[in-house]
């Protein structure tokens, strides 16, 4: 069965971005990058891969779901389809938005994810944001956190402003790098 995997960079204080969506404080260079590019090549936006001459390869994910705010930076620079090599879904409560015709819109992301999980295929990448992750928490099977050695002070929490509903995850792997990044992997306890 397909898993919903929340694969995301996070600060030491649990933010996936600054208050305005800033992500430039996360380390984009270091010994952790080779591992990320080798194990998760499909998570690189196509325009970034092209700019660096990195070939996009198939990986564990064949579908990406993201919030409207996660897609916004790409749209602002004229990239209407950042992951054309994946099935792309944007979760939004708003109609319209100028999305590429290849991007499906999910007005009910929880229902959409449940339907996707029943289909054959690879895992589903939950790209962000925090509010969407909070709403999809009941369906998240695995967390892969790229914990960066930076404190934001404020920003977008890993699970947004979700309600207090404790859910246990089991730690199944940790890899520390000289860059200070630690990749933590957790599986939802059933």
């Amino acid at each position: 069965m397909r898993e919903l995997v929340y694969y995301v960079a996070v600060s030491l204080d649990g933010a996936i971005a600054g208050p305005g969506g800033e992500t430039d404080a996360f380390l984009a260079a270091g010994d952790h990058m080779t591992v990320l590019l080798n194990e998760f090549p499909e998570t690189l936006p196509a325009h970034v891969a092209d700019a660096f001459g990195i070939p996009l390869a198939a990986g564990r994910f064949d579908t990406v779901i993201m919030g409207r705010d996660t897609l916004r930076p790409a749209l602002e620079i004229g990239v209407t389809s950042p992951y054309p090599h994946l099935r792309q879904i944007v979760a939004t409560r708003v109609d319209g938005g100028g999305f590429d015709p290849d991007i499906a819109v999910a007005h009910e992301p929880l229902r959409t994810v449940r339907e996707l999980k029943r289909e054959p295929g690879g895992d589903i990448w939950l790209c962000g944001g925090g509010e969407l992750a909070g709403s999809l928490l009941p369906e998240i099977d695995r967390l892969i956190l790229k914990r960066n050695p930076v404190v934001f002070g404020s920003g977008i929490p890993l699970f947004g402003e979700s309600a207090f509903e404790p859910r246990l995850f089991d730690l199944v792997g940790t890899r520390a790098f000289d860059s200070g990044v630690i990749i933590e992997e957790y599986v939802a306890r059933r």
Side-chain angles (χ1 to χ4, degrees):
M1 184 167 147
R2 302 173 84 178
E3 288 188 330
L4 179 63
V5 180
Y6 191 15
Y7 171 75
V8 65
V10 63
S11 67
L12 292 174
D13 54 346
I16 61 169
E22 305 89 351
T23 59
D24 55 336
F26 290 129
L27 301 180
D31 54 338
H32 65 285
M33 290 305 296
T34 302
V35 171
L36 298 179
L37 293 174
N38 286 334
E39 293 184 20
F40 304 97
E42 72 279 20
T43 64
L44 201 59
H47 65 284
V48 173
D50 288 345
F52 289 99
I54 300 170
L56 284 174
R60 75 184 295 165
F61 304 117
D62 66 6
T63 303
V64 59
I65 185 165
M66 66 192 111
R68 183 184 184 98
D69 287 343
T70 300
L71 179 60
R72 181 173 293 128
L75 296 175
E76 288 173 353
I77 62 168
V79 176
T80 60
S81 180
Y83 305 102
H85 50 288
L86 300 175
R87 179 178 178 186
Q88 301 172 92
I89 301 167
V90 64
T92 181
R93 290 182 221 102
V94 180
D95 286 325
F99 302 128
D100 190 280
D102 289 336
I103 297 179
V105 173
H107 294 296
E108 296 180 43
L110 194 58
R111 187 181 78 192
T112 299
V113 165
R114 288 177 176 152
E115 290 169 358
L116 288 168
K117 288 172 103 176
R118 288 191 294 266
E119 296 175 359
D123 287 340
I124 304 154
W125 171 32
L126 171 53
C127 180
E131 183 180 337
L132 177 60
S135 73
L136 293 176
L137 186 54
E139 289 298 321
I140 295 175
D141 300 292
R142 187 174 300 265
L143 302 169
I144 302 176
L145 306 178
K146 301 170 283 183
R147 184 143 335 252
N148 278 247
V150 61
V151 172
F152 280 18
S154 68
I156 299 170
L158 186 62
F159 291 98
E161 300 298 327
S162 54
F164 178 75
E165 293 178 29
R167 179 149 186 240
L168 292 174
F169 284 80
D170 293 317
L171 179 66
V172 296
T174 303
R175 291 183 278 176
F177 297 88
D178 290 339
S179 65
V181 171
I182 299 173
I183 299 174
E184 304 165 342
E185 187 166 352
Y186 299 86
V187 174
R189 189 176 294 179
R190 300 287 179 202

